[in-house]
Amino acid sequence: MRSDEVKKGYVRAPNRSLLRALGVTDSEMKKPFIGLANSWNTIVPGHQHLRQLAERVREGIAAGGGVPFEFNTIGICDGIAMGHEGMRYSLPSRENIADSVELVVQAHRFDGIVCLCTCDKIVPGMLMAAARCNIPAIVVTGGPMLTGHAGGCDLSLTDVFEGVGKVAAGVMTEEELVTLEKAAMPGCGSCQGLYTANTMACMTEAMGMSMPGCAAIPAVNAAKMSIAYESGERIVRLVMDNVRARDIITYSALKNAVRIDMALGGSTNTVLHLMAIAEEAGVPLTLDDFNEIGDVVPHICHMQPGGPHPMQTLYHAGGIPAVFKQLSSLMEDCMTVSGKTVYDIAGDVTVLNEEIIKGIHNPIHSAGGLKILNGSLAPDGSVIKSAAVDKAMWQHKGPARVFNSEKQAMDAILGNQINEGEVIVIRYEGPAGAPGMPEMLSPTSALMGQGYTRVALITDGRFSGGTRGPCIGHVAPEAEIGGPIALVEEGDEIEIDLYEKKLSLNVDISVLEKRKANWKPRERTLTGVLSRYARIVEQANRGAILK
């Protein structure tokens, strides 16, 4: 066992002495040492219940014959950080989380690791660490929040964000918005729809790194406690069998995750995170894989925010195992941490509601829910959640409205300075430019709340999983390094074609060359973690990993 490096032989007497200070017994010294990375805190609603789940994981580890050692990572709530300076710190936290888990795992020579986490950057950060350390690992995701209710309607976080736009448009009062904000988020768990947190939980299960059914179980459901215990037991068996993270996170497994992503119509952020996980696992996943899979795998679950269904509805319809079943002819039969293959899991379940999880011959859309767009405005790619775009906007030409920050764009939107048909360009919000590549749920929701139907938004930043509508993010190269998005001027014609997967700046090449010759990088002063991050972060098409 790896942990023998810290506990076996007379030369390790000092190490054992410190372990005995924790109460470790002679018999426990002979058992596998299992780390439990817990992102519990009291600022993120998706994490406030994880301390209780951690108790069940520890009990499961002990019952399975291991010794649990719990430690913590940080966690940021993207919703609380949204729309202000704090959002620049969210994506960099993913790297901090991956680093912190690696540091503790490698320093203490754990034999296996259980990652207990929820929410946007924490789940991918822990998966990156698992792949990096390449020891036996299981992820337990904390589960979605239940829906809120007011006025006989189901509510989620995007209803509140879009309410801001409705107030600005004069169709909702501030008092009504306060009523909405008090009712929308009823308790612990990740935000209710297929936003980034829940999409990443589904991707984790789809790639085989969580026990079957884990992703969709609501945070408050007793089944979540049970699966936490089972995961603790199972990690010990994985250690005994030497099944390591990279044995599960293979190219085929990651393509299965993309297949489920396409079928669900998940967050655009999964492209960023799956690319980063692939990088850590040494898997050659590319943006082309997303389009190739999306052309074959149909969109079969109409989940929030593009559709009506929250995560608890997916759970009651059979969860990810039921999605496996519906897609079984399109999936690859990979091994999972449960010891079962994808086909085994699909064969063990029944689709409980085919109105929620449709068959591949009766899809919502014939193609997958995400598309990678290339073209003169995004030579290295960009991402859109096509499942949440009205067909009327799949092809669009319009004049550019150019803003050098999210705040400038938000002021114009709330100030009713945007016209139908225009294409909003928000730049210098990319990985290095922001820095930190902030999410932009505030402007996209404000547009929806104000009732715009023919306004597109393009950015080198990114979007919350709660975004819907013709919103294109992750434009690469970003403005900060002189990508074409830096050269766009007010009134330039931009063309979007989701059918052809094209994003074009319709300006003569000679004009763009002159603009490029006159372009200069911005002068700015950065300090602290953002200063380091801006210097070493890769572009979005590389997953915004660190060099």
Side-chain angles (χ1 to χ4, degrees), residues 54-77:
E55 293 175 3
R56 291 297 283 159
V57 174
R58 290 200 308 269
E59 290 168 2
I61 292 169
V67 185
F69 295 92
E70 185 177 353
F71 62 97
N72 282 93
T73 71
I74 63 167
I76 288 174
C77 176

Side-chain angles (χ1 to χ4, degrees), residues 1 3 6-8 12-34 65-70 108 110-111:
M1 290 187 294
S3 59
V6 299
K7 66 186 182 184
K8 192 170 184 178
R12 293 293 174 244
N15 311 65
R16 289 195 299 274
S17 184
L18 289 165
L19 290 167
R20 293 184 191 282
L22 302 172
V24 177
T25 66
D26 286 344
S27 63
E28 287 178 318
M29 291 287 186
K30 301 173 184 177
K31 296 178 180 180
F33 280 10
I34 309 297
V67 185
F69 295 92
E70 185 177 353
H108 297 102
F110 290 140
D111 298 301

Side-chain angles (χ1 to χ4, degrees), residues 113-173:
I113 181 79
V114 177
C115 299
L116 179 58
C117 46
T118 315
C119 298
D120 296 25
K121 309 307 169 297
I122 300 87
V123 174
M126 290 202 184
L127 281 166
M128 290 165 66
R132 192 184 296 174
C133 296
N134 198 27
I135 63 172
I138 286 181
V139 179
V140 181
T141 50
M145 188 186 298
L146 297 179
T147 54
H149 294 276
C153 298
D154 289 344
L155 300 173
S156 70
L157 184 62
T158 52
D159 292 294
V160 187
F161 271 98
E162 291 181 10
V164 174
K166 291 179 180 179
V167 171
V171 297
M172 176 182 283
T173 67

Side-chain angles (χ1 to χ4, degrees), residues 40-339:
W40 169 82
N41 59 57
T42 60
I43 183 59
V44 183
H47 295 186
Q48 62 178 337
H49 63 304
L50 296 187
R51 187 155 59 177
Q52 188 178 18
L53 286 179
E55 293 175 3
R56 291 297 283 159
V57 174
R58 290 200 308 269
E59 290 168 2
I61 292 169
V67 185
F69 295 92
E70 185 177 353
F71 62 97
N72 282 93
T73 71
I74 63 167
I76 288 174
C77 176
D78 279 25
I80 297 174
M82 194 77 66
H84 54 80
E85 187 69 16
M87 180 85 299
R88 303 186 190 282
Y89 292 85
S90 176
L91 186 57
S93 77
R94 185 189 71 180
E95 318 309 311
N96 180 290
I97 291 158
D99 289 350
S100 65
V101 174
E102 178 194 6
L103 289 167
V104 176
V105 164
Q106 299 292 44
H108 297 102
R109 314 309 293 161
F110 290 140
D111 298 301
I113 181 79
V114 177
C115 299
L116 179 58
C117 46
T118 315
C119 298
D120 296 25
K121 309 307 169 297
I122 300 87
V123 174
M126 290 202 184
L127 281 166
M128 290 165 66
R132 192 184 296 174
C133 296
N134 198 27
I135 63 172
I138 286 181
V139 179
V140 181
T141 50
M145 188 186 298
L146 297 179
T147 54
H149 294 276
C153 298
D154 289 344
L155 300 173
S156 70
L157 184 62
T158 52
D159 292 294
V160 187
F161 271 98
E162 291 181 10
V164 174
K166 291 179 180 179
V167 171
V171 297
M172 176 182 283
T173 67
E174 290 191 46
E175 291 75 18
E176 289 172 327
L177 181 57
V178 170
T179 299
L180 191 64
E181 77 175 64
K182 289 181 177 179
M185 311 298 282
C188 68
S190 48
C191 300
Q192 302 97 328
L194 198 68
Y195 313 146
T196 305
N198 289 323
T199 308
M200 280 310 304
C202 293
M203 296 307 93
T204 303
E205 186 178 334
M207 73 178 72
M209 286 297 289
S210 288
M211 295 290 280
C214 182
I217 300 171
V220 297
N221 196 301
K224 184 61 73 175
M225 299 287 282
S226 298
I227 211 163
Y229 182 91
E230 292 165 1
S231 299
E233 279 190 309
R234 183 63 192 162
I235 188 62
V236 182
R237 175 47 53 192
L238 291 176
V239 169
M240 296 301 188
D241 294 340
N242 194 31
V243 178
R244 294 175 294 174
R246 292 191 198 178
D247 297 326
I248 303 295
I249 308 174
T250 63
Y251 184 41
S252 293
L254 285 175
K255 287 194 291 183
N256 275 347
V258 176
R259 290 180 177 105
I260 297 299
D261 199 3
M262 293 297 176
L264 296 176
S267 165
T268 53
N269 282 316
T270 55
V271 178
L272 201 70
H273 298 321
L274 289 175
M275 293 292 289
I277 294 162
E279 186 88 17
E280 297 289 0
V283 171
L285 190 72
T286 69
L287 293 182
D288 289 339
D289 289 312
F290 286 83
N291 272 342
E292 289 172 8
I293 291 170
D295 287 342
V296 175
V297 176
H299 176 215
I300 62 173
C301 298
H302 212 191
M303 305 294 295
Q304 293 177 347
H309 304 309
M311 283 295 292
Q312 68 195 62
T313 303
L314 180 66
Y315 169 65
H316 291 301
I320 297 303
V323 183
F324 280 180
K325 192 177 192 73
Q326 296 290 54
L327 293 182
S328 57
S329 63
L330 302 174
M331 301 285 285
E332 296 183 53
D333 195 23
C334 302
M335 184 55 66
T336 73
V337 292
S338 68

